[in-house]
Amino acid sequence: MSLGQALVSHVRSAMLAKLRGQPLPESHPLLSGMKSGVFVTVEAIVRSGGFERREVRGSLGVVEPFKDLAYDTAKIAAKLVYAIPRFTEFDLRRSVIEVTLVEELREWDGGLAGFEWGREGVYAVAGQRRVVVLPQTMIERKILGEALLRYIESMAGPPERLYRFSTRIFYELHPEGEVIERELWKSRVIKQFLEVVR
């Protein structure tokens, strides 16, 4: 089983356990030996006008590990079940799960030269406020270049500390389907942005 498959399967098991009032699966043969920040995102498949689109129902995570990947992922998945209004087993079967691993968290001066769009995310601290911007959010909302710094300030105010981090993003192609690792740096949005700034 690949890392992506293991993560997504573990998230689904934890969500199902929480929905059924059963104990959470807090260990895993592969994931218990790993440490990483992790975010879990649930997307609903919405069909309208003959088209299918994905709609984020909820996203939750930590930029630094609390215990290990199996424990942390299970706890986050269980909290997310409660954070999404009226979320049921039926909803889970119709949803796509995405898991983002957060690695190499390091201080950042906000300089955009050398920033790896599509691979790196940002964590900002401003007083009691904490803002995390994952690479997929940057692409979906087209907040690239200086727009990223403006977005962070609009969410948290002037940041006191900034960090950047590397990511690995694992994603179901359809509910309970094949899991792939997303290569966002190949996205058309990023290619167009890089052509403009060159």
Side-chain angles (χ1 to χ4, degrees):
M1 184 182 278
S2 73
L3 176 57
Q5 287 172 312
L7 282 163
V8 170
S9 170
H10 190 60
V11 165
R12 283 194 172 277
S13 298
M15 286 184 157
L16 205 52
K18 191 66 177 176
L19 287 165
R20 292 177 174 176
Q22 296 167 345
L24 291 182
E26 293 176 357
S27 63
H28 185 280
L30 176 63
L31 306 177
S32 290
M34 301 175 73
K35 284 191 173 222
S36 171
V38 62
F39 278 79
V40 176
T41 303
V42 174
E43 294 184 354
I45 303 295
V46 179
R47 293 176 180 91
S48 64
F51 290 98
E52 211 175 72
R53 63 185 169 82
R54 295 165 185 231
E55 201 173 81
V56 174
R57 292 285 310 273
S59 187
L60 206 59
V62 290
V63 290
E64 292 184 286
F66 178 72
K67 191 175 175 188
D68 61 52
L69 202 46
Y71 180 91
D72 293 356
T73 306
K75 290 291 190 186
I76 289 163
K79 278 188 178 174
L80 193 50
V81 163
Y82 275 148
I84 301 171
R86 301 178 301 282
F87 193 68
T88 64
E89 280 188 45
F90 179 70
D91 293 320
L92 179 59
R93 285 197 300 273
R94 294 177 58 194
S95 297
V96 170
I97 304 295
E98 180 180 77
V99 181
T100 303
L101 295 184
V102 171
E103 296 161 339
E104 300 168 31
L105 184 71
R106 57 215 183 270
E107 287 203 38
W108 180 46
D109 62 4
L112 297 172
F115 191 87
E116 292 189 59
W117 303 101
R119 294 179 196 263
E120 292 189 317
V122 174
Y123 173 52
V125 178
Q128 296 301 306
R129 289 176 182 263
R130 306 281 186 274
V131 174
V132 176
V133 191
L134 297 174
Q136 50 272 52
T137 306
M138 295 178 201
I139 290 172
E140 284 153 16
R141 298 187 184 173
K142 295 185 172 66
I143 43 177
L144 304 171
E146 294 291 335
L148 173 61
L149 301 174
R150 289 194 298 273
Y151 176 79
I152 290 166
E153 197 154 327
S154 75
M155 297 294 284
E160 291 155 22
R161 290 192 304 286
L162 281 172
Y163 302 85
R164 64 201 270 193
F165 53 82
S166 303
T167 61
R168 291 185 73 190
I169 304 165
F170 301 99
Y171 187 69
E172 286 179 314
L173 290 175
H174 50 84
E176 300 181 328
E178 184 190 348
V179 177
I180 62 161
E181 185 165 355
R182 293 180 80 182
E183 298 178 328
L184 294 179
W185 58 93
K186 294 180 179 176
S187 133
R188 184 173 44 84
V189 173
I190 288 179
K191 282 179 180 165
Q192 287 170 346
F193 165 71
L194 292 176
E195 280 167 16
V196 170
V197 297
R198 276 196 188 108

